[in-house]
Amino acid sequence: MKNVLLNIFKDRVISRWWILFIDFVIVINAYLLAFIVRINLNMSDYNVLDFFINGEVVFVLYLISFIVFGSYKGVIRHSSYSEFKQLTISCFVSFALLLFLNQLTHFFELGFINLSNLVLVFHGLLTLMLTFSFRIFVKETYGFLTKKRADTNVLIYGAGEMGQITFEAIRNDKVNTFNVIGFVDDNETRWNKKLHSKTICSWDKAMNVIGANRVEVVILAINNISVQRKREISNDCMDRGLKLKIMPSVGSWVNGISNQSQIRDVRIEDILGREEIKLNLKTISDGLVGKTILVTGAAGSIGSEIVRQLLKFPVKKIILLDIAESPLYDLQQELIISHFDAPFEVVLADYTNEYRMRQVFEKYNPQIIYNAAAYKHVPLMEANPYEAVRVNIGGVRLLANLAVDYNVEKFVMVSTDKAVNPTNVMGASKRICEIYIQALSQIDNMNTSFITTRFGNVLGSNGSVVPLFLKQIKQGGPVTVTDPEITRYFMTIPEACQLVLEAGFMGHGGEIYVFDMGEPVKIVDLAKEMIRLSGLKLNEDIDIEFTGLRPGEKLYEELLASKEDNLPTHHEKVMIGKVRKYDYRRIKTQVDELLFSLQYENNILLVTRMKEIVPEFISNNSEFGKLDNVPEYDVISERNAS
């Protein structure tokens, strides 16, 4: 029977004229009922002609009010607060007008309408109640016909605004199988109270009754919960065999829509991240207002998040430049959907190509540049130094020089902790970039402010360890870790990009800003945590395999070199690295020669030149380690031979 009714009604929407007609019939019947209540079924005490005359006035006023306020235009099955509010306003205005006309008639003895105030009150209440009931009946009937059986019991952690939004998202989603049995909250003033007819209790109490209620899922729906508390809840859930999910904050909703599909599994960055960063929004906004901004590497993990962050500010235009066609297209489509009126343009170009980059500068005249373009994979760059030099160093040199030529106000470069005492080609290439733009910033009468931001690994970025582990876990393992003692600093993508924006408006230029990365994390511990989050057991469902350090890889990363110190800034998570100064003419000559040598020198000679520019570059677990002990004359002989 249910399926028959669903097939009949699921694709049919009641015409608004039918709704208006039904509301009008309700007004008539309410009028009749109000009279019956008022005269106690004794019609002999009332003039039938007056009954009909007064009824015409009532019907006309209610009809006009319904039409003016459009209370009949909504889709009944999806009636919401706004539709019920419109209906309430329509009924109240009609009642108020009738009451006013009735009093006016009695006072001036006009004979226009002659009704008891009690009849008007009864009629107004009955009309409102019956029109409400009609809509609720249709809405609940449709919900009953379309809703699938909810067979997964869930607890919503959070009885505040986000908790209520989560409850509504679940209730309004017809295909979900969640059955909310209660709310959990840390605020004891809410305990033992009801929310949407569900009991609010403490976490400890909820843990005691989970078995009795056969709870399978906990949905975390709190905006201001600490990372430490998230970690505790996550551990509790995993210990009890519960699946933990998260309702993201409003700013993270896809397309800005609240629905059940927004509820996602907990991720490693949710429990390894740190407390929310407090940005100086006014300083950033003042610096970005009305500016044309060029973001290179815009389709990458960091570049795309910088773009998303920039769209929150009153910029004039953002130029999204990248050579990766498909990721750039994906980002374009995302922004069209989520920010359909966003001021951005997409440019497919190689930022090492001078002709193309001059075209971009001449066409858009950018005032601020965020350079997130780079090759970043350590083993690949160790095997291909040519590309590390051509792209990382050549691209930055070209971009920085063009910034000076076109009077760009600010140039912000994204660097890495691997540039500190580098042990690999990638880190050395980024250190040379740092040195070049720092030296360039010291030229007299420099109009461009050059800023370097240096931070560690970013959780979930393309090619990082997190996506690799996820893939290995899905495939059943093993999860591969290079060394049981290897550690890395980690930061979430939004956190890193927010600090990049903040650092961009500090200082006067030439500074290297170092981010507070917190405590380093053992990669093996990260792997174990991700295995737990996947609901698997280490050494039973999946194993960890140690593969040995890769070429150029360190056991421990650093954010500051041993000869460097740091100075505080107004932001507690951003420091200024005190690095030694370089002479621009000397560095320019060395970098120019390095890039020119790409045309005729082999990998050994290229890396030798890099080591000359960065003396602290000592190769680790790499074929280039032999260069650290090669006498100078051998290198010169090889250069002459080539």
Side-chain angles (χ1 to χ4, degrees):
M1 182 62 179
K2 180 178 177 180
N3 291 334
V4 173
L5 291 174
L6 183 59
N7 289 332
I8 294 173
F9 294 114
K10 71 174 181 178
D11 294 323
R12 290 190 174 94
V13 176
I14 301 175
S15 166
R16 59 182 181 172
W17 303 116
W18 271 110
I19 296 171
L20 182 61
F21 174 74
I22 293 170
D23 286 345
F24 187 67
V25 170
I26 288 173
V27 171
I28 295 173
N29 284 280
Y31 179 69
L32 180 60
L33 286 171
F35 252 99
I36 291 173
V37 172
R38 175 68 180 86
I39 66 177
N40 198 23
L41 296 176
N42 189 0
M43 291 297 293
S44 61
D45 292 344
Y46 198 82
N47 188 307
V48 176
L49 182 60
D50 287 344
F51 173 82
F52 285 107
I53 291 173
N54 291 326
E56 288 177 0
V57 177
V58 172
F59 305 154
V60 169
L61 279 176
Y62 269 89
L63 184 62
I64 291 172
S65 183
F66 287 151
I67 292 173
V68 169
F69 291 101
S71 59
Y72 63 98
K73 293 181 179 179
V75 179
I76 299 296
R77 68 180 62 168
H78 301 305
S79 293
S80 62
Y81 169 77
S82 59
E83 278 86 18
F84 285 120
K85 184 173 74 173
Q86 280 183 316
L87 185 59
T88 303
I89 292 172
S90 299
C91 292
F92 178 78
V93 168
S94 302
F95 164 73
L97 285 173
L98 284 169
L99 196 62
F100 174 74
L101 288 174
N102 198 42
Q103 295 299 319
L104 198 66
T105 300
H106 288 167
F107 185 79
F108 291 105
E109 297 181 353
L110 299 175
F112 180 68
I113 183 172
N114 184 22
L115 281 171
S116 163
N117 288 339
L118 192 57
V119 169
L120 291 177
V121 171
F122 282 162
H123 178 259
L125 291 174
L126 283 169
T127 300
L128 186 62
M129 183 177 66
L130 292 173
T131 50
F132 263 49
S133 299
F134 161 59
R135 284 158 173 78
I136 291 171
F137 173 76
V138 173
K139 181 180 176 71
E140 292 299 320
T141 301
Y142 180 74
F144 170 76
L145 293 174
T146 56
K147 189 167 180 63
K148 294 185 180 292
R149 185 181 174 211
D151 53 8
T152 303
N153 289 341
V154 305
L155 282 171
I156 296 178
Y157 198 115
E161 184 179 357
M162 278 302 298
Q164 295 183 59
I165 290 172
T166 304
F167 180 85
E168 291 291 341
I170 292 171
R171 187 172 66 176
N172 294 331
D173 194 330
K174 307 305 179 186
V175 299
N176 93 85
T177 59
F178 288 162
N179 175 41
V180 179
I181 65 166
F183 290 85
V184 178
D185 203 281
D186 290 334
N187 186 346
E188 60 184 47
T189 62
R190 294 174 176 169
W191 294 349
N192 301 318
K193 294 180 180 178
K194 295 279 188 178
L195 183 62
H196 296 290
S197 75
K198 310 295 182 182
T199 303
I200 305 172
C201 64
S202 68
W203 178 244
D204 291 337
K205 184 176 179 180
M207 291 297 98
N208 293 331
V209 300
I210 274 178
N213 289 283
R214 298 191 300 278
V215 174
E216 300 175 50
V217 177
V218 175
I219 301 173
L220 194 58
I222 303 180
N223 282 331
N224 58 351
I225 190 170
S226 69
V227 174
Q228 178 60 34
R229 185 63 181 142
K230 278 186 192 176
R231 195 175 297 124
E232 292 171 358
I233 295 169
S234 174
N235 290 336
D236 268 357
C237 288
M238 286 188 285
D239 290 342
R240 296 173 183 271
L242 300 173
K243 192 164 188 63
L244 180 64
K245 291 181 175 288
I246 287 182
M247 178 60 135
S249 60
V250 175
S252 303
W253 289 351
V254 179
N255 302 334
I257 300 170
S258 166
N259 55 51
Q260 190 266 339
S261 63
Q262 305 280 11
I263 301 171
R264 59 169 175 79
D265 291 338
V266 65
R267 298 170 183 160
I268 190 67
E269 50 263 45
D270 294 319
I271 59 176
L272 279 189
R274 289 174 291 165
E275 306 310 322
E276 182 181 0
I277 294 174
K278 292 179 174 59
L279 298 177
N280 189 334
L281 296 176
K282 185 179 186 307
T283 301
I284 298 174
S285 182
D286 290 346
L288 294 174
V289 63
K291 297 296 173 64
T292 298
I293 302 166
L294 171 64
V295 181
T296 63
S301 305
I302 299 298
S304 61
E305 182 61 24
I306 288 175
V307 171
R308 295 184 192 99
Q309 297 287 342
L310 288 172
L311 287 172
K312 298 176 182 178
F313 296 94
V315 300
K316 179 181 179 181
K317 182 172 287 187
I318 305 175
I319 312 304
L320 282 59
L321 187 143
D322 208 300
I323 196 173
E325 177 197 16
S326 295
L328 189 61
Y329 172 80
D330 292 340
L331 178 61
Q332 179 190 43
Q333 297 310 302
E334 174 198 324
L335 297 182
I336 288 173
I337 294 171
S338 60
H339 300 79
F340 65 93
D341 58 346
F344 73 90
E345 287 196 35
V346 171
V347 176
L348 183 66
D350 180 354
Y351 90 129
T352 67
N353 185 310
E354 183 174 356
Y355 175 74
R356 280 289 285 131
M357 293 309 297
R358 285 195 179 276
Q359 285 183 321
V360 171
F361 275 76
E362 288 171 3
K363 180 177 180 180
Y364 297 107
N365 192 26
Q367 294 155 290
I368 299 175
I369 297 174
Y370 289 94
N371 175 44
Y375 282 147
K376 62 179 184 178
H377 295 288
V378 170
L380 281 176
M381 293 304 98
E382 204 67 18
N384 299 277
Y386 177 95
E387 292 300 320
V389 172
R390 184 185 70 85
V391 174
N392 290 2
I393 301 174
V396 167
R397 184 194 65 163
L398 172 60
L399 204 60
N401 291 346
L402 290 175
V404 175
D405 292 345
Y406 288 86
N407 291 312
V408 171
E409 296 174 14
K410 195 171 292 290
F411 182 105
V412 182
M413 187 187 82
V414 175
S415 189
T416 171
D417 55 358
K418 294 175 177 61
V420 182
N421 292 326
T423 60
N424 51 68
V425 169
M426 195 283 285
S429 70
K430 296 296 283 186
R431 179 60 188 140
I432 292 171
C433 293
E434 290 182 357
I435 292 171
Y436 184 82
I437 68 168
Q438 185 191 25
L440 182 61
S441 69
Q442 297 170 34
I443 296 178
D444 293 338
N445 301 318
M446 173 58 65
N447 296 321
T448 303
S449 174
F450 288 94
I451 302 293
T452 298
T453 59
R454 184 192 286 173
F455 51 90
N457 296 272
V458 178
L459 283 167
S461 62
N462 295 334
S464 72
V465 69
V466 171
L468 173 63
F469 285 175
L470 283 174
K471 182 179 179 181
Q472 291 175 337
I473 290 169
K474 286 181 181 178
Q475 293 173 344
V479 175
T480 56
V481 178
T482 55
D483 190 282
E485 297 302 318
I486 192 168
T487 63
R488 290 292 181 266
Y489 290 100
F490 283 104
M491 180 176 279
T492 65
I493 295 175
E495 183 181 22
C497 295
Q498 287 168 3
L499 290 178
V500 168
L501 296 188
E502 178 89 20
F505 294 97
M506 294 180 179
H508 304 287
E511 298 93 348
I512 293 180
Y513 287 100
V514 182
F515 296 169
D516 173 14
M517 299 292 297
E519 295 300 318
V521 176
K522 273 193 172 185
I523 300 300
V524 68
D525 292 340
L526 177 68
K528 290 175 181 177
E529 195 68 35
M530 291 184 65
I531 290 170
R532 289 187 70 200
L533 286 177
S534 300
L536 302 175
K537 292 183 179 180
L538 181 63
N539 299 327
E540 291 183 21
D541 303 314
I542 197 166
D543 296 322
I544 292 178
E545 182 179 297
F546 297 104
T547 58
L549 290 177
R550 299 173 299 178
E553 194 169 40
K554 291 181 183 180
L555 270 180
Y556 313 102
E557 297 290 5
E558 307 160 88
L559 289 171
L560 288 168
S562 57
K563 294 182 181 179
E564 297 175 358
D565 200 354
N566 63 78
L567 297 173
T569 68
H570 69 265
H571 197 295
E572 60 181 4
K573 294 184 182 292
V574 182
M575 300 161 287
I576 300 176
K578 291 175 63 178
V579 296
R580 61 193 179 100
K581 304 294 184 181
Y582 289 84
D583 178 70
Y584 173 67
R585 286 176 296 181
R586 180 186 173 193
I587 290 301
K588 180 181 183 303
T589 300
Q590 288 180 305
V591 171
D592 287 348
E593 289 177 352
L594 173 63
L595 291 168
F596 182 74
S597 67
L598 287 173
Q599 302 176 50
Y600 58 87
E601 289 189 350
N602 59 29
N603 288 343
I604 294 293
L605 296 178
L606 288 176
V607 174
T608 300
R609 289 185 182 275
M610 296 177 75
K611 289 178 180 288
E612 290 172 356
I613 300 173
V614 186
E616 65 270 25
F617 172 22
I618 306 297
S619 297
N620 184 39
N621 193 32
S622 168
E623 64 171 315
F624 303 118
K626 62 185 179 182
L627 298 176
D628 300 321
N629 299 311
V630 171
E632 186 177 353
Y633 69 86
D634 287 342
V635 176
I636 293 174
S637 299
E638 187 165 354
R639 279 183 185 162
N640 291 335
S642 62

